[in-house]
Amino acid sequence: MKSVLKRIVGTIPVLIGVVLLIFIMLRIIPGNAAAVLLGEHVDQATIDRLTQSMGLNDPVIVQFFKYIGNALQGDLGESYRYSRPVTEMILEAFPYTVELALLAALFAWVLGLAAGVVAAIRQNRLLDRLFMGASLMGVSMPIFMTSLLLQYFLAFRLEWFPLTMEQGSLVSMVLPAIALGWNSAGSVARMTRSSLIEVMQADYIDTARAKGLGRRAVILGHALKNSMLPVITMMALQLSSMLSGAVITESVFAIPGIGRLATTAINNRDMPVLQGTVLFTTVLVIAGNLLADLLYGVLDPRIRKEV
């Protein structure tokens, strides 16, 4: 419990640093949010009045501490563009991102684990080379390219799936989930293979074989369980990255999630929305790292004792 609290307290400087960084970056970019909102044909006096009312004339450090104080109360500001609470907009978009991330994680983990185990069992054979080649392609190919290829062949040419997301349709989330999970599936497959091969060379595996256990019993009962520690840690980190990094996938497939909300905020120079989405995704990444640490401790008692 103490170690968990220590890790949580250690994330506070990271959150503050991220908020400060995004504050500084948004304010050194040329342009004025008030001018963008009012349009081109507006006099300077009107722009100055709106700038003053939005609090953009205050020193950055004053704006920063105001934002931190409000954020601690769950208030991430109000959208310049839509005049709506940012927290409300994020909570509306988050379920779409969660659905996409969970489907992508399910696809990545099932495919990656199965391919990694088969590749390890068939080491240096045809299936091993085939699966590892496919996983290398998955790790190397950018998500936007995977998304566009899936859209072209499976949605446009074969018409098996919708091109973009349709409200209430789970089928329309299949292609985005594959596009987002393909890269992670390749990483899981490669990690599973290397970890399982390493464990299969351990002394206790030879002991299990000497006792007369069959190959399947040795792999499933001993080797696979002990080789999952680094794989499960990677999977926990992948889930947080999927929740926070689905920007390209959501943009390509027109999914109204957190990522698309952030890109729209950038185009509109909607600083409160952009700050809110960055802070929210930072919390998700930190939570994923904390979950991975906790899982590591649960799965390996030696780590619990060290902590």
Side-chain angles (χ1 to χ4, degrees):
M1 188 64 183
K2 288 182 180 179
S3 63
V4 175
L5 291 174
K6 202 179 292 183
R7 288 189 178 98
I8 293 174
V9 171
T11 63
I12 295 175
V14 177
L15 289 173
I16 295 174
V18 168
V19 177
L20 180 59
L21 183 62
I22 195 68
F23 250 88
I24 295 172
M25 289 177 63
L26 288 176
R27 281 155 182 78
I28 63 175
I29 296 174
N32 185 303
V36 173
L37 291 175
L38 292 172
E40 297 179 2
H41 308 292
V42 179
D43 60 276
Q44 187 61 42
T46 304
I47 293 175
D48 291 341
R49 283 196 300 272
L50 182 58
T51 301
Q52 181 68 35
S53 66
M54 292 166 66
L56 298 179
N57 282 339
D58 296 336
V60 174
I61 195 67
V62 173
Q63 296 180 48
F64 173 73
F65 281 109
K66 280 184 181 178
Y67 184 80
I68 290 292
N70 292 332
L72 291 174
Q73 303 174 50
D75 180 10
L76 298 178
E78 187 174 281
S79 168
Y80 293 160
R81 188 75 175 183
Y82 303 104
S83 299
R84 293 181 57 200
V86 174
T87 305
E88 181 183 303
M89 296 174 68
I90 290 175
L91 292 178
E92 284 181 3
F94 189 51
Y96 295 100
T97 301
V98 170
E99 183 181 4
L100 173 60
L102 291 178
L103 289 172
L106 180 64
F107 167 78
W109 298 346
V110 171
L111 181 63
L113 288 172
V117 171
V118 172
I121 294 173
R122 299 291 181 180
Q123 185 181 1
N124 298 325
R125 297 182 186 178
L126 178 61
L127 278 178
D128 180 23
R129 293 190 177 94
L130 181 64
F131 286 162
M132 287 303 100
S135 68
L136 180 61
M137 184 175 67
V139 171
S140 305
M141 187 179 294
I143 291 179
F144 76 87
M145 183 177 292
T146 305
S147 301
L148 294 175
L149 288 174
L150 290 173
Q151 274 188 327
Y152 179 74
F153 287 108
L154 299 183
F156 178 70
R157 301 289 295 182
L158 299 177
E159 298 183 353
W160 288 354
F161 300 96
L163 271 170
T164 57
M165 179 190 169
E166 296 176 356
Q167 195 74 24
S169 172
L170 188 62
V171 176
S172 65
M173 295 293 285
V174 172
L175 289 187
I178 295 174
L180 182 59
W182 183 252
N183 181 280
S184 297
S187 299
V188 170
R190 297 177 73 83
M191 176 67 77
T192 302
R193 177 186 180 274
S194 61
S195 183
L196 187 55
I197 289 175
E198 182 180 353
V199 169
M200 289 291 289
Q201 297 172 356
D203 293 338
Y204 65 88
I205 297 296
D206 294 333
T207 303
R209 287 171 177 159
K211 289 180 179 179
L213 291 179
R215 187 178 184 186
R216 179 177 296 181
V218 170
I219 293 173
L220 298 180
H222 293 78
L224 185 59
K225 180 176 67 174
N226 292 299
S227 65
M228 285 296 99
L229 181 59
V231 179
I232 292 176
T233 305
M234 171 187 282
M235 289 159 64
L237 294 173
Q238 284 180 342
L239 181 59
S240 67
S241 67
M242 288 177 186
L243 286 169
S244 61
V247 177
I248 297 174
T249 309
E250 290 179 354
S251 298
V252 172
F253 290 95
I255 299 172
I258 297 293
R260 196 172 182 210
L261 186 64
T263 55
T264 304
I266 292 172
N267 294 331
N268 294 333
R269 198 175 172 79
D270 199 339
M271 289 184 288
V273 176
L274 184 56
Q275 288 168 178
T277 54
V278 170
L279 179 59
F280 189 75
T281 53
T282 302
V283 171
L284 291 178
V285 171
I286 290 173
N289 290 332
L290 181 60
L291 177 62
D293 289 342
L294 294 176
L295 282 174
Y296 219 94
V298 170
L299 294 171
D300 193 339
R302 295 171 299 179
I303 295 175
R304 285 203 302 269
K305 291 178 182 178
E306 289 175 4
V307 174

